[in-house]
Amino acid sequence: MMSAGPAESLQSALGYRFNRLALLDEALTHKSFVNEQREGSAVHNERLEFLGDAVLSLVVSEQLAMLLPHSPEGALSKHKARLVSESMLAGVARRLNLGSCLRLGRGEELSKGREKDSLLADAVEALWQALRRDTPN
């Protein structure tokens, strides 16, 4: 389980309290952390990230189509690509101070994984899906 400090500060930044903290832990756990665990109880965020990427793309596409009803498909695609880009999502992660909350393996810690755009963007996508799963329909 993630320590209370990062979990509390992240939930405060999100303006949302998780009902199932295990989902938050999963969203913030990199595969490198799981690979170094002996007990094997930790779950990494790749499945949440995979789903979060797809859902985020759909939601952004839908919103753009509604907000820009007369824009051609090519323009909508360019807007969507920019909005769901690695650099844009990493920027969101930085504003949330998400890097400080990630559970990383030693190698990722040593290679400054908390600052890597790719890890931060993946964590945002995983967090998005965790939020969706935690929120009652």
Side-chain angles (χ1 to χ4, degrees):
M1 252 341 195
M2 184 174 43
S3 68
E8 286 299 317
S9 64
L10 178 58
Q11 290 180 96
S12 179
L14 291 170
Y16 179 81
R17 302 214 53 81
F18 274 80
N19 297 304
R20 298 184 296 166
L21 284 174
L23 277 171
L24 179 57
D25 278 344
E26 182 178 343
L28 300 174
T29 302
H30 188 262
K31 188 175 186 175
S32 63
F33 179 86
V34 174
N35 290 339
E36 293 179 6
Q37 299 305 299
R38 293 182 188 189
E39 75 262 2
S41 64
V43 180
H44 61 76
N45 66 5
E46 286 183 356
R47 289 180 60 85
L48 286 176
E49 182 263 324
F50 168 76
L51 292 166
D53 173 64
V55 173
L56 186 59
S57 184
L58 173 65
V59 169
V60 168
S61 297
E62 193 173 55
Q63 289 297 310
L64 284 170
M66 287 189 317
L67 292 169
L68 305 169
H70 302 294
S71 290
E73 179 272 337
L76 293 172
S77 291
K78 286 180 183 178
H79 285 304
K80 182 190 76 152
R82 184 180 56 79
L83 291 170
V84 299
S85 70
E86 183 178 276
S87 61
M88 184 71 77
L89 295 177
V92 169
R94 287 186 177 93
R95 284 190 294 282
L96 292 170
N97 198 26
L98 201 54
S100 69
C101 301
L102 295 177
R103 297 194 310 168
L104 303 174
R106 239 177 57 200
E108 285 296 342
E109 286 284 4
L110 293 172
S111 67
K112 300 187 186 220
R114 293 180 191 286
E115 300 169 19
K116 290 181 183 174
D117 280 3
S118 59
L119 267 67
L120 292 170
D122 288 350
V124 167
E125 292 169 341
L127 183 60
W128 171 264
Q129 184 63 18
L131 284 162
R132 288 189 72 251
R133 283 197 180 164
D134 195 57
T135 306
N137 292 336

